[in-house]
Amino acid sequence: MERQRYSLFTLARHALTGHRGWKPAWRDAAPKERYDVIVIGGGGHGLATAYYLARNFGITNVAVIEKGWIGGGNAGRNTTIVRSNYLLPGNIPFYEHSLKLWEGLEQDLNYNAMVSQRGILNLCHSDEQRDAFERRGNAMRLQGVDADLLDPAEVRRMAPFLDFDNARFPIFGGLLQKRAGTARHDGVVWGFARGASDRGVDIIQNCEVTGFVRDAGGRVTGVETSRGKILTGKVGMAVAGNTSRVASFADLRLPIESHVLQAFVSEGLKPVIPGVITFGAGHFYISQSDKGGLVFGGDLDGYNSYAQRGNLSIVEDVCEEAMAIMPMVGRARVLRSWGGIMDMTLDGSPIIDRTPVPGLYLNGGWCYGGFKATPASGWCFAHLLARDEPHPVAASYRLDRFASGQLIDEKGAGAQANLQ
Amino acid sequence: MIISCPHCGLRDSSEFYFRGEAPTPRPDYEEGNVAFADHVYGRINPAGPQKEHWYHAAGCRSWLLVERDTRTHDFLSVTLASEQGR
Ligand SMILES: Cc1cc2nc3c(=O)[nH]c(=O)nc-3n(C[C@H](O)[C@H](O)[C@H](O)COP(=O)(O)OP(=O)(O)OC[C@H]3O[C@@H](n4cnc5c(N)ncnc54)[C@H](O)[C@@H]3O)c2cc1C
Ligand SMILES: [Zn+2]
C-alpha cells in the first residue's frame, strides 16, 4: 500500500477534490503462515509495540492479532489522561519516558493524536495530604519531572468554581503537573496502527487467540486462533483486561485480577474546566473534551468482572464526589456511561517481562492508568521482544517481584486488587 | 447487584464488602517463598464462575462464600463461609 503523508498541503489538495481521494490509513491484513513476532491485542499497547519493533529495531515481519476491532477495548474506553506524577523510583522514569514520547508523538507518527498539555491539578483537603503531595512533588523534581505545589489562592485563580470551603472537604491546595494533559484515544490507536502498517506490520482483526502452539520442550512456537494456526518465533501478550484469560492458555497463574471501571460524559458545554482536576478526599477526576463534554470517573466497582459494565452504586458515588468539589456540574446532564475491564495487579504497578514459558512475553497489569503508558509500554515491550532484555526504564516491572518482595506499591494498599 | 444473604435475605450489594477470590489453602512453612507468593498474590481470575468471599458489613456481619459468574454478575450460590470451613 502506498504510503501517504499528511500535511496542510495534502489537506488543501483533498479539500479541492471534495475529500474523495483519501486512502485507508492502514491495511487490514489476512494472517500469513508465519511471523517473526506475534503481538496479541490490538489496543494501544499492542499496536505501539509493533510500531516500535519496526521503527526502533527493523523487525517488520510482525502481526498484531486482535479478536475484535483495533481500539475497541480499553484504548477506546478510557478518559485519556496522560501524566507522570508518580512517587516511586520504579515508576517515575518509565512514566516520564512515556510523557516525553507523547510530547513528540504526533511529529513522529505524522498523525494528529490531539495531545493537549492542559495540566493536571490534584487537590488536597488536609494538612497531611498536602505534606504527602509535597513529598510526591519533590520525588518528581528529583527525577527531573515538573511539579508545582499550589496554595489555595493559586488554585482559586485556576479554578474559581471549586467549593473551597466545603464543610467536609475544604481545599488546602493542590499539586500541579503542567506538562500533563489529555490525548485523543482513537487518534493514538490509529496513529500507531498506520505507522506500523506502513512499515510492513500485519494488523489482523476479528481473529481471537484461543491457545498456544508449543514444541516438545514447552516453547511457544505459535498461536491457535479462530482463523487457524499461526506460527512465530516469539509471542507478546498485550491484552489488558484479558491477561489472565490468555495466560491461562499457557497454564500461567498471574498476580492479576480483572475489575470493571466506569466512566461518564456529560452533554457538551462551553469551555469551563481548565485541564484535569482530581478530588483528593475520594477518587474522582474530571476534564473537558474538545467537543465540550465533561469526561469524568472515579473508583472501580470493586468486585472481579469481565462484563464491561458497572453498577449504579458507583454512578451515585462518582456524582456525589463531583458535587463535593464542583457543585456547578450538578446542572449538567450525563449523556453516557460505560465500563472497561482493568487488569489490576496486586501492587498496582504493571508487568513488562518474560514469562516462565519460553517464547512467551507479558505486557499487562496496567490497572486504570495504562493509556498514558501507551508509547513507553510499546517502546519497552518492543525492546524486550527484540533484545530479550528489559529496557532500563521498565526494569522494575518484573513478574517475579511478588516473590522477591520488590513490590512497587504506590498506594501501600497491600495484596488487595480493588484498593490499588 | 442483589445478594441473597443466608441470614438476612435479599440485600443490596452496597451493604457488602468484597474480599476477593477465595484463596488456595495456606502452604506449609517449608514450601518456601514462591509457594507463599503464589498463595498471597496468585489468582485464577476466571472469566466465568468464581468462588469468592464477601462480608455482610452492614448486616449480619457474616463472612460469605459466594459463587458468582464474573461475565454476568449472576450469583450462583451464597453460603456461610463458617459452614464451609473457610
Ligand atoms: C473507564 C476507563 C478509564 C480509564 N482512564 C484512563 C486514564 O484517564 N488515563 C490512563 O492512563 N489510563 C486510563 N485507563 C486505562 C487504560 O485505558 C488501559 O490501561 C489501557 O488502554 C490498556 O492497554 P491497551 O490500550 O492495549 O488495552 P485494550 O485496548 O483493552 O487492548 C487489548 C486488546 O486485546 C484484545 N484481546 C483480548 N483477548 C484477546 C484474544 N484472546 N485474542 C486476540 N485479542 C484479544 C482485546 O479485544 C483488546 O482490543 C482507563 C480505563 C478505563 C476502562
Ligand atoms: Zn447478612
Side-chain angles (χ1 to χ4, degrees):
Chain A
M1 202 170 84
E2 185 198 347
R3 202 150 155 175
Q4 335 159 59
R5 262 198 81 75
Y6 298 150
S7 68
L8 197 59
F9 173 72
T10 53
L11 185 62
R13 186 156 55 82
H14 284 293
L16 291 175
T17 54
H19 291 294
R20 278 186 297 267
W22 295 107
K23 297 270 166 7
W26 48 272
R27 210 166 31 87
D28 189 24
K32 290 194 296 196
E33 202 172 306
R34 198 194 148 80
Y35 294 91
D36 293 338
V37 180
I38 285 178
V39 179
I40 312 174
H45 291 222
L47 292 163
T49 303
Y51 172 70
Y52 289 119
L53 272 171
R55 177 189 180 276
N56 294 357
F57 301 99
I59 301 175
T60 56
N61 185 22
V62 174
V64 175
I65 298 185
E66 165 56 48
K67 71 172 174 183
W69 307 103
I70 62 165
N74 292 340
R77 294 165 188 267
N78 70 85
T79 44
T80 75
I81 300 166
V82 302
R83 56 183 177 87
S84 62
N85 53 357
Y86 280 73
L87 172 69
L88 298 179
N91 277 330
I92 299 178
F94 174 83
Y95 286 102
E96 178 59 11
H97 182 57
S98 207
L99 191 52
K100 290 217 172 89
L101 289 173
W102 282 113
E103 287 174 329
L105 193 70
E106 295 167 322
Q107 288 68 28
D108 187 39
L109 292 176
N110 177 233
Y111 201 89
N112 186 3
M114 292 166 71
V115 177
S116 166
Q117 292 180 289
R118 49 184 80 179
I120 186 166
L121 175 63
N122 303 127
L123 299 173
C124 57
H125 308 271
S126 66
D127 284 329
E128 297 75 14
Q129 196 170 31
R130 187 177 44 212
D131 289 349
F133 278 12
E134 195 165 0
R135 176 175 173 227
R136 176 182 296 263
N138 283 334
M140 289 162 65
R141 285 185 162 215
L142 281 171
Q143 307 245 9
V145 181
D146 68 305
D148 295 292
L149 194 64
L150 306 189
D151 64 25
E154 290 167 304
V155 174
R156 203 181 280 270
R157 271 201 293 282
M158 272 185 71
F161 49 80
L162 295 173
D163 189 3
F164 284 85
D165 304 314
N166 184 293
R168 287 175 73 195
F169 313 114
I171 292 169
F172 275 54
L175 185 66
L176 176 68
Q177 186 183 21
K178 288 192 187 125
R179 287 165 57 244
T182 56
R184 174 76 206 175
H185 45 80
D186 314 313
V188 174
V189 168
W190 276 55
F192 277 120
R194 172 171 170 265
S197 176
D198 275 352
R199 285 169 175 77
V201 171
D202 276 0
I203 296 169
I204 301 164
Q205 301 186 106
N206 296 308
C207 182
E208 179 168 0
V209 171
T210 53
F212 294 110
V213 184
R214 300 175 70 169
D215 68 11
R219 163 173 283 276
V220 168
T221 55
V223 292
E224 304 280 2
T225 78
S226 54
R227 293 171 71 175
K229 186 195 288 188
I230 312 174
L231 299 176
T232 185
K234 290 176 178 176
V235 176
M237 292 167 48
V239 292
N242 284 290
T243 302
S244 301
R245 220 172 178 178
V246 175
S248 74
F249 302 151
D251 301 317
L252 287 173
R253 208 169 116 88
L254 299 174
I256 290 179
E257 293 182 12
S258 296
H259 284 259
V260 56
L261 179 68
Q262 303 190 56
F264 306 84
V265 66
S266 79
E267 59 191 325
L269 304 170
K270 288 188 175 172
V272 55
I273 304 218
V276 182
I277 299 178
T278 73
F279 174 53
H283 188 204
F284 171 79
Y285 54 91
I286 187 165
S287 65
Q288 190 166 13
S289 77
D290 293 316
K291 219 159 68 181
L294 303 179
V295 181
F296 55 99
D299 269 323
L300 298 172
D301 271 44
Y303 45 83
N304 294 45
S305 173
Y306 284 90
Q308 291 198 126
R309 63 184 142 75
N311 271 292
L312 287 170
S313 51
I314 285 289
V315 179
E316 185 179 17
D317 188 60
V318 167
C319 292
E320 279 174 359
E321 291 183 287
M323 294 303 287
I325 48 165
M326 43 180 85
M328 68 164 184
V329 301
R331 308 272 303 268
R333 277 166 298 195
V334 174
L335 216 61
R336 288 184 289 128
S337 71
W338 62 92
I341 301 305
M342 314 284 80
D343 36 339
M344 302 297 299
T345 54
L346 291 164
D347 64 355
S349 296
I351 300 162
I352 303 179
D353 201 357
R354 306 177 192 90
T355 70
V357 179
L360 183 62
Y361 299 75
L362 170 63
N363 173 318
W366 292 99
C367 302
Y368 40 72
F371 179 69
K372 68 173 100 70
T374 304
S377 163
W379 184 283
C380 296
F381 199 37
H383 186 282
L384 179 71
L385 284 162
R387 298 252 179 98
D388 244 310
E389 58 188 44
H391 187 280
V393 300
S396 303
Y397 295 151
R398 298 171 61 118
L399 178 55
D400 68 2
R401 68 177 184 266
F402 296 90
S404 67
Q406 286 159 313
L407 304 180
I408 315 169
D409 196 346
E410 284 269 334
K411 280 204 177 165
Q416 186 74 22
N418 56 1
L419 301 181
Q420 301 294 352
Chain B
M1 289 189 303
I2 305 286
I3 301 178
S4 173
C5 173
H7 288 315
C8 314
L10 297 175
R11 293 300 192 92
D12 191 88
S13 63
S14 59
E15 289 185 3
F16 296 78
Y17 166 79
F18 177 75
R19 175 67 181 84
E21 183 177 319
T24 50
R26 196 185 180 86
D28 280 339
Y29 179 71
E30 280 71 33
E31 290 179 56
N33 277 352
V34 173
F36 268 93
D38 188 60
H39 170 67
V40 176
Y41 298 110
R43 298 286 188 274
I44 303 168
N45 192 24
Q50 163 168 285
K51 289 219 164 81
E52 53 194 25
H53 285 135
W54 290 77
Y55 178 62
H56 197 181
C60 61
R61 298 195 287 167
S62 301
W63 280 98
L64 306 175
L65 181 66
V66 166
E67 196 173 11
R68 185 180 59 97
D69 193 321
T70 59
R71 296 166 303 183
T72 58
H73 304 162
D74 285 343
F75 284 79
L76 307 175
S77 71
V78 183
T79 53
L80 294 173
S82 55
E83 287 179 356
Q84 309 292 324
R86 49 195 277 199

